[in-house]
């Protein structure tokens, strides 16, 4: 009875929002700003290092109020509690999604299957920090007794994208001369081109894999092992491997020494694992203190998410604005445009976070959805994007809401005025997209309609703390959207079929034998590949 009631309320709100969107289509963002001179103060929010301006969106106070009601009816507040307290919200895999525990204050208590996990997290982190210190001090030696000069992270997906993005984003905080490299692709060119620049005696490999069974990573790890063996000709090469995994048994099967294995847990999703020992490359790069700052930033966002009313809750607001466009304006895509070369890999990282989490079409109940879910996320840093695809944003026919991200301060103070150029470009693009050209523009070719919505996320500086906050903000945004769509944001069954097929096609590529089940297109391609 209670559920019927909720379903009914949801339907009514859905219809109200649909009607509101139809009405809103008759107006222009320019008008909304004219009607309310205080619009930007009304539709903005500051949380520590991040200021969110959402005033350049096609919405009114009334829209926000209805969206907030939708969040209430979809029980977002209890979903937030369930997430943060370790309930089994990953329903298909029957486990919690406790990435927030990785940045929690370890003096607290958080039980998973009756065990307080915070001391376990602390212990693994301390083991990781010891490795970092040993590397920084030159105590960690290779098989022939030389100091480590280069670290190569072998991992893919969540075991690569978080570290690679964050190491780049925080390279101004680098504390070591040790060079970091990342190899994710199974493409032999990828690993070969990295190894050819390196000295086997001074290179350490991190094999990062939650499952320790991802073929790409294991194949690259084997190549690395052979490379060390052939060049150093000693058993001790295994000291030049550190495993980071939730499957220590498999890592040991691969030959890694137990003392060189850093653990994390099955209740940490791969795409949410940068906060765990998967963050080792980042900790090596920026050092322990900055890594702790990074975690603290995320923790501050967790606290904000847990304790703020929905109407002042940054992740909730971002999520609802996304829902508004996806479900009521039929937006299929969102562009994320950071005005910072430090955030060069941010869109790649967000692609996995958002698309692997919410690229789903089945609800918790097992029923198919009859509404759009997770959007296509894409983007690249401004101003580069301006000279590539912004034409389409301004005058194309697709509806693409945008998140602009920009930092007020630069790390390159001697070029502070050049940084202002960057910031001015960001502001100019969001303003131009919103306003469009004045009505007296003669040629239809030159006319820009404007009315293109965007959020602006203004960071004080790209610091460890601000980056921690930004990542946790998007994690929680994605979670809230999943809660409203009633999907499980923490599994990824869709990636399995392709993996299985790849393993069957390898034999056919090698020996030309093909089973009846292989479709005609794939058969022809296999034949052609063998001919070439
Ligand atoms: O194929 C998808 C995926 O399972 C991701 O979710 C994960 O981040 C990636 O593969 C790598 O997995 P692992 O860390 O287990 O090697």
């Amino acid at each position: 009875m209670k559920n019927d009631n909720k379903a009914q309320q949801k339907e009514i709100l859905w219809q109200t929002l649909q009607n509101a969107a139809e009405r809103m289509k008759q107006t222009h963002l320019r008008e909304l700003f004219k009607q309310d001179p205080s619009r930007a103060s009304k539709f903005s929010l500051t949380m520590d290092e991040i200021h969110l301006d959402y005033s350049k969106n096609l919405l009114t106070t009334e829209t926000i109020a209805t969206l907030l009601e939708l969040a209430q009816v979809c029980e977002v507040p209890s979903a937030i509690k369930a997430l943060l307290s370790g309930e089994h919200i990953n329903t298909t895999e029957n486990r919690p999604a406790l990435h927030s525990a990785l940045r929690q204050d370890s003096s607290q208590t958080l039980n998973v299957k009756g065990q307080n996990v915070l001391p376990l997290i602390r212990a693994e982190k301390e083991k990781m920090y010891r490795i970092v210190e040993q590397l920084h001090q030159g105590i960690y030696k290779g098989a022939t007794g030389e100091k480590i000069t280069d670290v190569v992270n072998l991992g893919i997906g969540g075991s690569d994208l978080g570290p690679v993005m964050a190491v780049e984003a925080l390279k101004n905080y680098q504390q070591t001369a040790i060079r970091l490299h990342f190899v994710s692709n199974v493409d032999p060119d990828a690993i070969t081109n990295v190894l050819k620049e390196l000295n086997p005696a001074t290179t350490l490999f991190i094999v990062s894999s939650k499952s320790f069974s991802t073929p790409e990573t294991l194949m690259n790890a084997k190549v690395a092992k052979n490379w060390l063996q052939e060049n150093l000709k000693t058993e001790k090469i295994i000291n030049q491997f550190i495993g980071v995994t939730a499957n220590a048994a498999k890592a040991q099967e691969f030959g890694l020494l137990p003392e060189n294995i850093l653990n994390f847990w099955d209740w940490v999703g791969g795409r949410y694992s940068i906060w765990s020992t998967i963050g080792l490359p980042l900790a090596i790069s920026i050092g322990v203190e900055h890594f702790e700052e990074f975690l603290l930033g995320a923790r501050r966002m967790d606290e904000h998410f847990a304790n703020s009313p929905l109407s002042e809750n940054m992740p909730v607001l971002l999520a609802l604005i996304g829902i508004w466009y996806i479900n009521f304006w039929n937006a299929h895509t969102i562009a994320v445009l950071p005005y910072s070369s430090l955030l060069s890999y941010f869109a790649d990282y967000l692609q996995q976070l958002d698309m692997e989490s919410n690229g789903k079409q089945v609800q918790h109940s097992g029923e198919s959805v009859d509404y759009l879910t997770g959007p296509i996320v894409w983007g690249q840093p401004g101003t580069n994007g301006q000279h590539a695809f912004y034409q389409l944003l301004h005058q194309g026919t697709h509806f693409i809401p945008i998140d602009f991200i920009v930092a007020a301060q630069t790390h390159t103070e001697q070029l502070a005025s050049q940084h202002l150029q960057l910031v001015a470009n960001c502001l100019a693009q969001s303003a131009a997209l919103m306003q469009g050209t004045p009505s007296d523009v003669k040629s239809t070719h030159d006319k820009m309609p404007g009315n293109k919505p965007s959020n602006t996320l203004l960071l004080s500086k790209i610091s460890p703390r601000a980056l921690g906050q930004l990542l946790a903000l998007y994690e929680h945004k994605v979670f809230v959207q999943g809660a409203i769509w009633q999907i499980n944001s923490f599994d990824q069954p869709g990636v399995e079929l392709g993996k299985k097929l790849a393993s069957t096609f390898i034999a056919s590529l090698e020996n030309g034998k093909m089973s009846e089940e292989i479709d005609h297109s794939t058969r022809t391609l296999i034949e052609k590949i063998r001919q070439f």
Side-chain angles (χ1 to χ4, degrees), residues 145-164:
E146 286 192 58
K147 250 180 18 188
I148 299 298
T149 57
D150 292 85
V151 173
V152 184
N153 190 75
L154 305 173
I156 196 162
S159 300
D160 167 68
L161 289 164
V164 87

Side-chain angles (χ1 to χ4, degrees), residues 155-160 208-217 244-245 264 269-273 278 352 356 491-492 495-496 499:
I156 196 162
S159 300
D160 167 68
S208 282
S209 175
K210 178 178 170 182
S211 58
F212 225 88
S213 56
T214 302
E216 289 92 331
T217 303
V244 183
T245 188
F264 65 108
R271 52 194 175 273
Y272 299 87
S273 63
I278 288 285
Q352 189 199 14
E356 200 168 68
D491 62 1
Q492 56 286 326
V495 299
E496 292 308 320
K499 283 190 198 168

Side-chain angles (χ1 to χ4, degrees), residues 196-409:
K196 76 180 178 207
E197 304 292 331
L198 301 177
N199 175 356
T202 62
T203 300
L204 177 75
F205 292 92
I206 304 173
V207 188
S208 282
S209 175
K210 178 178 170 182
S211 58
F212 225 88
S213 56
T214 302
E216 289 92 331
T217 303
L218 294 188
M219 273 184 232
N220 282 329
K222 265 187 209 138
V223 173
K225 227 175 169 184
N226 292 341
W227 179 72
L228 290 183
Q229 193 67 58
E230 276 160 24
N231 286 287
L232 302 180
K233 302 194 181 354
T234 155
E235 287 290 292
K236 288 194 197 149
I237 57 138
I238 208 62
N239 266 327
Q240 284 178 227
F241 284 91
I242 291 176
V244 183
T245 188
N247 193 345
K250 275 257 163 98
Q252 285 189 55
E253 244 171 62
F254 184 82
L256 299 198
L257 304 172
E259 59 269 30
N260 283 355
I261 297 174
L262 294 172
N263 292 289
F264 65 108
W265 302 270
D266 67 353
W267 38 262
V268 179
R271 52 194 175 273
Y272 299 87
S273 63
I274 173 73
W275 322 99
S276 73
T277 44
I278 288 285
L280 176 62
L282 177 63
I284 293 172
S285 177
I286 64 176
V288 171
E289 260 176 50
H290 289 137
F291 191 80
E292 282 282 310
E293 270 287 298
F294 171 67
L295 296 181
L296 180 65
R299 188 197 307 167
R300 298 274 304 131
M301 186 54 78
D302 295 338
E303 287 162 359
H304 166 84
F305 186 48
N307 303 324
S308 309
L310 297 188
S311 58
E312 291 158 33
N313 196 313
M314 204 181 272
V316 171
L317 287 169
L318 264 192
L320 292 175
I321 293 166
I323 295 274
W324 171 236
Y325 292 129
I326 293 164
N327 297 116
F328 305 101
W329 293 70
N330 212 22
H332 290 246
T333 157
I334 136 167
V336 180
L337 309 174
Y339 273 69
S340 166
S341 61
L342 295 171
L343 296 179
S344 289
Y345 300 116
F346 191 67
D348 301 12
Y349 169 81
L350 264 196
Q351 274 180 342
Q352 189 199 14
L353 177 64
D354 201 326
M355 294 166 80
E356 200 168 68
S357 296
N358 286 344
K360 313 275 164 72
Q361 49 180 261
V362 176
Q363 301 175 58
H364 288 293
S365 63
E367 280 168 88
S368 294
V369 297
D370 56 3
Y371 39 82
L372 289 179
T373 59
I376 300 156
V377 180
W378 60 282
Q380 65 157 290
T383 57
N384 301 37
Q386 287 175 210
H387 296 274
F389 54 79
Y390 276 42
Q391 166 62 35
L392 181 145
L393 297 179
H394 285 284
Q395 289 186 310
T397 50
H398 300 279
F399 180 67
I400 307 175
I402 300 166
D403 283 358
F404 287 100
I405 303 174
V406 66
Q409 296 172 50

